[in-house]
Amino acid sequence: MKRIVSIQDISDIGKCSLTVALPVISAMGVECAVLPTAVLSAHSQFEGFRFHDLTDEMQPAAEHWKELGIGFDAIYTGYLGSYRQVDIVSGFFRDFGSGAKIIVDPAMADNGVLYAGFDAGFPGKMAELCRGADLILPNVTEACFMLGEEYREEYDRAYIRGLLQGLAGLGAKKSAVTGVSFDKDKLGVVAYDSETGEYFSRFGERFPAIFHGTGDIFASAVTGAIMNGLSVNDALSLAVDYTLECIRMTVKDPRHNWYGVNFEQAIPYLIKRLSAVSAGAAYL
């Protein structure tokens, strides 16, 4: 069985970060160790949420793992809340990255603005973390901030390809910009392989709703799929389809919660699609 470690926060209530990564990756037949960066009583969209920083606990945990001789097939990072945490994770890549896939979701911004608590210099720090990664998964806003490019609400394919070319310049082998839409009825991902020069895209139905945590679901599904032997393009396709299925099931549920999607109910769909693709079935 493959083993990965996911480094990001955990929100006790709110379907995001580690509360998504752990069940999704585990359901895909991959061991998911965790290195929590913080514990929140509920995610940041809840009023009055409580926050406990775990920065001081990260390095001791890593040191213990080195003593035990623990290794990982992949390192998957999500939201990192400070410059110091990025530095710790950079060191973690050096200590545990040999032979491991490094997948970075530079979760720090959306809709043209940085998340609360980040200053203008933080995207540059996150860009440094992306150097040498096997795959990075920024949304349009995060790509723009890391590259110092103008964020646009409306854009064309040339604009997205320009962002991907810029991301390749950061040093990542493969880059995928998420949340891309060239058509009001479609939403998906566009990727670029800096080694082959090839582009790839996958789109699905766009629903008239926005939910927290879908980026974490997407990145977790990509990681689990790659650990199951899928190519990056097939992993991205699977993750797009699964994420949109999660949204579809949530919109369909009249009692759905406002703070996240019904990813649990869509796990049978994920496993069925993963099994089909792993068996060599054509992608639908």
Side-chain angles (χ1 to χ4, degrees):
M1 178 184 290
K2 295 289 182 69
R3 178 197 295 128
I4 74 109
V5 59
S6 183
I7 308 175
Q8 53 187 313
D9 65 286
I10 183 166
S11 294
D12 299 337
I13 297 293
K15 302 179 183 186
C16 63
S17 55
L18 287 179
T19 53
V20 165
L22 183 56
V24 169
I25 293 169
S26 298
M28 298 175 81
V30 178
E31 180 183 347
C32 183
V34 299
L35 185 59
T37 60
V39 177
L40 288 73
S41 59
H43 68 55
S44 59
Q45 299 302 303
F46 284 85
E47 184 177 353
F49 69 90
R50 308 298 195 268
F51 174 90
H52 181 66
D53 188 354
L54 294 177
T55 303
D56 290 340
E57 311 304 323
M58 294 172 67
Q59 194 60 45
E63 292 295 333
H64 184 217
W65 292 347
K66 284 196 287 185
E67 293 170 6
L68 295 173
I70 298 294
F72 302 100
D73 296 291
I75 305 168
Y76 153 41
T77 70
Y79 178 89
L80 302 174
S82 67
Y83 288 84
R84 186 180 168 206
Q85 287 190 353
V86 176
D87 286 335
I88 291 172
V89 172
S90 294
F92 194 94
F93 288 172
R94 291 191 297 271
D95 291 341
F96 294 91
S98 179
K101 296 289 186 183
I102 295 179
I103 300 170
V104 176
D105 177 8
M108 60 180 167
D110 206 357
N111 298 314
V113 296
L114 289 168
Y115 294 155
F118 291 140
D119 63 23
F122 190 76
K125 188 71 171 179
M126 187 62 77
E128 293 177 9
L129 189 68
C130 292
R131 185 178 300 120
D134 291 282
L135 176 63
I136 60 175
L137 301 166
N139 60 32
V140 177
T141 299
E142 290 155 353
C144 288
F145 271 113
M146 287 196 293
L147 297 172
E149 295 288 342
E150 176 191 2
Y151 170 77
R152 301 179 188 174
E153 292 284 350
E154 297 183 2
Y155 47 77
D156 57 15
R157 285 171 174 78
Y159 174 77
I160 296 299
R161 287 195 170 195
L163 292 180
L164 287 165
Q165 289 281 353
L167 293 171
L170 298 179
K173 295 177 183 177
K174 296 180 175 65
S175 306
V177 176
T178 65
V180 174
S181 178
F182 300 123
D183 180 324
K184 63 182 180 63
D185 297 322
K186 299 291 182 181
L187 184 69
V189 62
V190 182
Y192 177 69
D193 186 328
S194 63
E195 297 177 319
T196 66
E198 295 178 344
Y199 292 92
F200 171 81
S201 62
R202 178 73 172 186
F203 295 94
E205 181 182 0
R206 183 172 192 165
F207 295 90
I210 298 175
F211 292 98
H212 190 82
T214 52
D216 299 330
I217 290 170
F218 177 84
S220 299
V222 169
T223 302
I226 290 173
M227 288 296 97
N228 272 273
L230 272 64
S231 68
V232 170
N233 289 352
D234 278 348
L236 292 170
S237 293
L238 178 68
V240 167
D241 295 349
Y242 173 57
T243 303
L244 294 179
E245 178 67 8
C246 292
I247 297 172
R248 187 191 70 78
M249 296 190 77
T250 306
V251 172
K252 183 179 176 181
D253 179 6
R255 299 182 61 188
H256 71 259
N257 293 311
W258 63 267
Y259 54 78
V261 296
N262 296 12
F263 76 90
E264 304 93 337
Q265 291 180 316
I267 283 178
Y269 169 91
L270 173 65
I271 303 308
K272 181 178 180 180
R273 291 298 296 270
L274 176 62
S275 297
V277 177
S278 298
Y283 229 109
L284 300 178

